[in-house]
Amino acid sequence: MDIRFSRPPITTGAVLVLVAATAAVVGIGADAASAASVTFTPVADTYVQSDATSTNYGTSTQIVVDNSPVRRSFLRFTVSGVSGTVTSAKVRLRTISGNSGSDAGGTFRRMSNTTWSETGTTWANQPTIDGATLGTIGAVSGSTWYEVDVTAAVTGNGTYSFGATSASGDGAYYDTRESGADAPQLVVTTGTTTPPESGDPVFVGAGDIADSGSGDSATATLLDSIPGTVFTTGDNVYDSGTASQFASYYEPTWGRHKSRTRPSPGNHDYNTSGATGYYNYFGTSAGPSGRGYYSYDLGNWHVVSLNSNISMSAGSTQEQWLRADLAASGKPCTLAYWHHPLFTSSSNHAPSTSTRPLYQALYDYNADVVVWGHNHVYERFAPMNPSGGADTSRGMRSFVAGMGGAGHYGFGTIQPNSEARNSSAWGVLKFTLHSNSYDWRFVPVAGQTYTDSGTSACH
């Protein structure tokens, strides 16, 4: 039994049954080996209540589990188009925003009845929750996503019903399919994820990620099948980086990879004073709270996450910290990332020249790669010096990786040394970090064909 809490918790007191009819299928491409994940939303969900025996709640925007009065919830999913062996199946539910939570999120069981009516089910005629127990959600809070591992029940294509009950008199409330983007999900994964043949660290991510659209869900599904450390290049959630937006948009998508994510902040994260939503959400993974810059090692690489929303001038606290950090590193290869790009051809945001002192410090210490976001495009530049001149001996290769899910931007005047560009595909940028070299690949979401890849030695 595997329960993972990834969205805001919910209060329980009833039984849930899940059935999914709509699927969002995201392919994995060459980089995702043989694993693939498909997300289904319910075809029906409702709950019943013991003191309202003839009332149907099939059109409600919430389902409830409770024991005072007794309330049980039901969901049904229809799984289709899945091939291969199912290696993982998880039901994901989001607690509603208008409830503070519960000490019990519910116990979930499979049901043999897969034909119950969403608009006709009442307490008086409710289906029996007769299958094996699949999992239990503990204490929950509002506006949070939770997961229940239902792999034991979901074996392939077919219709599946799940029921949820609670022994607590403090009810847990979840969003239903009528709530839109916060509807329940059934995430089915087939195959296995194969690590790179080299066994070297994988570093994968993007920036400009989560909003009310579908791009963030598609890129998050790519990450489901790519191992390694996840990075973000800022603007993690739109529009203002609030705690609520992190819970509603980031947590249900990229949030399921939070434990392996090393983020950097963007200007939209700072639309909340002090970027408190960002720092509170990521915690120690974002480095010292309120500072926003930190470093760590991956294999033979030293990796630095910087903050382009605070002072970066020569002699600033951040710039001096960076120089000391680089001087202390004993790794032969170095990669840095932050939000605002020093070099970009996008027509939406001009190059951020205030970041040049950071680039200069990295150049002075023979760093190899810099990755940015801010512009919602993908762009790769040839190795350059801090002035933007081509430099094959000491220059750093830079990438704008702002294709994490937010709406696309366009290109204007193409800047010198720009070697590859795309403004129509969401995707992630994947690095394989070898002992003295690196491979890069842009991995597009399902339905897109653009890619860019290559390899280069460290200095």
Side-chain angles (χ1 to χ4, degrees), residues 64-85:
V64 191
V65 288
D66 200 344
N67 200 42
S68 182
V70 177
R71 287 179 280 189
R72 300 169 182 160
S73 294
F74 305 91
L75 296 109
R76 187 170 62 243
F77 292 92
T78 297
V79 176
S80 62
V82 169
S83 60
T85 301

Side-chain angles (χ1 to χ4, degrees), residues 4 59 77 83 90 127 168 176 182 196 209 252-253 293 322-323 329 354 375 381:
R4 185 178 63 178
T59 59
F77 292 92
S83 60
K90 295 180 179 180
S168 172
T176 67
D182 296 330
I209 301 167
T253 56
Y293 52 89
L322 175 59
R323 287 183 174 274
S329 172
S354 60
N375 279 320
F381 287 89

Side-chain angles (χ1 to χ4, degrees), residues 195-203 227-229 298-301 430-439:
E197 292 183 4
S198 65
D200 292 330
V202 169
F203 189 61
T229 298
L298 291 175
N300 240 23
W301 285 70
K430 175 190 172 185
F431 296 95
T432 303
L433 306 177
H434 306 300
S435 58
N436 284 290
S437 65
Y438 62 96
D439 305 328

Side-chain angles (χ1 to χ4, degrees), residues 239-266:
D239 186 59
S240 299
T242 65
S244 176
Q245 288 165 354
F246 269 101
S248 296
Y249 300 140
Y250 190 95
E251 179 64 19
T253 56
W254 282 51
R256 60 182 178 267
H257 304 286
K258 181 179 175 181
S259 63
R260 62 182 178 118
T261 298
R262 304 308 305 269
S264 67

